[in-house]
Amino acid sequence: MSGENCFNVLDKIFIPKNKQDIENIKGYTIKYGNIVENGEIIDEVLVSYFKSPKSYTTENMCEINSHGGNVIVKKILEMCLKNGAELAEPGEFTKRAFINGRIDLLQAESVIDIINAKSEREAKTGIKQLEGFLSEKIAEIKKEIMDVMVNIEVVIDYPEYDVEDVTNKQVEDMLISVQDKLEKLEKSFDNGKIIKEGIKTVIVGRPNAGKSSLLNAILKEDRAIVTEFEGTTRDTIEEFVTINGIPLKLVDTAGIRKAKDEVEKIGIEKTKEMTKEAELVIAIFDSSEELTKEDMEILDLIKDKKTIIVLNKSDLPSKTNENDVRLKKASESIINISALNKKGIEGLYDEISKLFNLNEINLDHEIVITNLRHKNLINKANENVKKAKEALKQKMPLDIIAIFIKDILEDLGTITGEIATDDIIDEIFSKFCLGK
């Protein structure tokens, strides 16, 4: 519970073993006791006390730690509501922390990123934003702009001092510097998108090439059915797996061949469609056989795609190898594996890391944009920088240039929430689960 009256509500349902007036209880302390209704003990609990302003929301807060189980938790919640509490809205605790000035909007959004993280790198990026690294960078850019804006205002208000030429040079240097910083942040979104959303990866090949065996080997579980019969996989199977801290959305597809029935035909068409949409294609071929007509169709399908060619069944005598010019023409990344024996899988991970420069994403020394809202606003700010530079080049009056510069500050202020509208704030917090 959070709010001015949360201790009053707590006092109606909680009896500590050692009774104290709330004024004498220090913040960051835990008291042991019972939740009681009409003299009957409902549960044995621990209650944590946080006193304003030293709490998550900056308000008085308490946390009731009960034994697990939906029945007890639901009962305690009902008792809180019955005695004056109100059910929190989605993200309301974090929203209060933002409204009360403990965190900015960037940091508030990072909370949901941490909660929804699918990999350690994504969680680490969220933690860095919660700690304020991106907020500090935005503040640094804004200060650089404001230092020059002061001089612009002087020139506009007191033109008789004749310092416009000096100010123009300061504006030009500032805009070049700000543009460089904004472009670096904007480019970091490429890595941020990979960290947050993962790499959409499609495994494609003809029937019995080993697609499902490869998926099972990567997942280290029998997720897909593997038999000696062709056409076992008739629809897509999707799973997330983390490789070098980056999530891969793996899609096992129906084998490409001449369909034997309408269901298989639909599955094959879906395979082709998903291959076109994929960010990475793992094209698997049976190295114990010569390349077939279906294999050639796959090679045609993957041209111009970021592809790793996997020659499976390295445990059998080879009839197709990595020196085949038809394979080399389709991709420079060709590896040999035995999906059945789980040999060579690490080599596949290495190739994925190389293709997407995963080892170069250093979260210890880089600020990475993972949020599309932030990226779009940084892009908008950068466009206003370009407009200001063009206005300066056209020798327009400083008061015109100042309009574009103020727009840059507004874009940056919208990122951190200093001037964000209620609609934007409500939309962001609506993505949170209840409370938080």
Side-chain angles (χ1 to χ4, degrees), residues 137 140-141 144 172-188 378 382 385-386 389:
K137 191 66 179 178
E140 176 191 314
I141 295 171
E144 189 173 355
E172 183 181 14
D173 291 344
M174 177 271 290
L175 289 173
I176 291 170
S177 173
V178 167
Q179 185 174 22
D180 179 61
K181 290 177 174 130
L182 290 176
E183 285 179 350
K184 283 179 181 175
L185 287 175
E186 195 176 345
K187 285 175 183 174
S188 77
I378 287 168
N382 202 18
V385 170
K386 292 173 185 176
K389 286 176 72 177

Side-chain angles (χ1 to χ4, degrees), residues 207-411:
N208 266 19
K211 299 183 303 300
S212 296
S213 295
L214 176 60
L215 177 70
N216 290 342
I218 292 172
L219 296 177
K220 297 181 176 63
E221 62 173 291
D222 292 336
R223 175 65 178 85
I225 298 170
V226 179
T227 74
E228 71 273 20
F229 301 108
E230 293 186 350
T232 307
T233 305
R234 298 164 75 86
D235 197 359
T236 58
I237 297 173
E238 299 185 11
E239 288 286 345
F240 269 101
V241 64
T242 300
I243 293 176
N244 288 350
I246 301 296
L248 258 66
K249 185 180 181 182
L250 276 177
V251 184
D252 181 23
T253 60
I256 292 180
R257 67 173 179 178
K258 186 174 180 180
K260 292 186 175 180
D261 55 51
E262 190 62 28
V263 175
E264 188 177 8
K265 183 179 178 181
I266 294 170
I268 292 170
E269 287 304 314
K270 195 170 183 180
T271 294
K272 292 177 179 179
E273 184 182 323
M274 296 199 78
T275 301
K276 290 176 183 176
E277 296 173 356
E279 295 166 306
L280 171 64
V281 177
I282 299 175
I284 189 163
F285 300 90
D286 185 343
S287 65
S288 68
E289 297 180 7
E290 300 284 354
L291 292 179
T292 66
K293 180 183 175 183
E294 288 85 0
D295 288 330
M296 297 309 299
E297 186 180 346
I298 291 165
L299 289 173
D300 185 60
L301 183 66
I302 64 175
K303 65 182 180 183
D304 303 323
K305 298 292 296 183
K306 195 169 277 191
T307 302
I308 298 172
I309 290 177
V310 173
L311 297 176
N312 190 28
K313 305 187 183 180
S314 61
D315 50 305
L316 300 176
S318 174
K319 290 186 180 179
T320 301
N321 61 50
E322 61 270 23
N323 295 318
D324 191 305
V325 292
R326 294 168 293 181
L327 298 178
K328 293 173 81 171
K329 189 176 178 182
S331 175
E332 293 179 3
S333 298
I334 304 174
I335 63 167
N336 289 280
I337 71 161
S338 171
L340 180 66
N341 298 326
K342 300 178 176 57
K343 302 288 186 182
I345 306 300
E346 291 297 327
L348 175 61
Y349 300 162
D350 292 340
E351 287 299 317
I352 294 171
S353 295
K354 285 178 194 173
L355 275 177
F356 290 89
N357 300 316
L358 300 187
N359 295 327
E360 294 179 14
I361 302 175
N362 188 343
L363 297 180
D364 292 326
H365 303 103
E366 292 179 28
I367 295 173
V368 179
I369 303 293
T370 61
N371 189 303
L372 185 59
R373 183 184 81 88
H374 305 161
K375 191 255 186 184
N376 288 339
L377 284 166
I378 287 168
N379 176 262
K380 190 179 172 189
N382 202 18
E383 289 301 313
N384 283 318
V385 170
K386 292 173 185 176
K387 289 177 184 176
K389 286 176 72 177
E390 183 59 28
L392 194 63
K393 185 180 177 182
Q394 298 294 332
K395 301 190 183 304
M396 289 188 180
L398 272 177
D399 53 347
I400 300 297
I401 297 167
I403 293 172
F404 297 121
I405 295 174
K406 286 175 181 176
D407 285 342
I408 301 167
L409 289 169
E410 185 174 323
D411 296 331

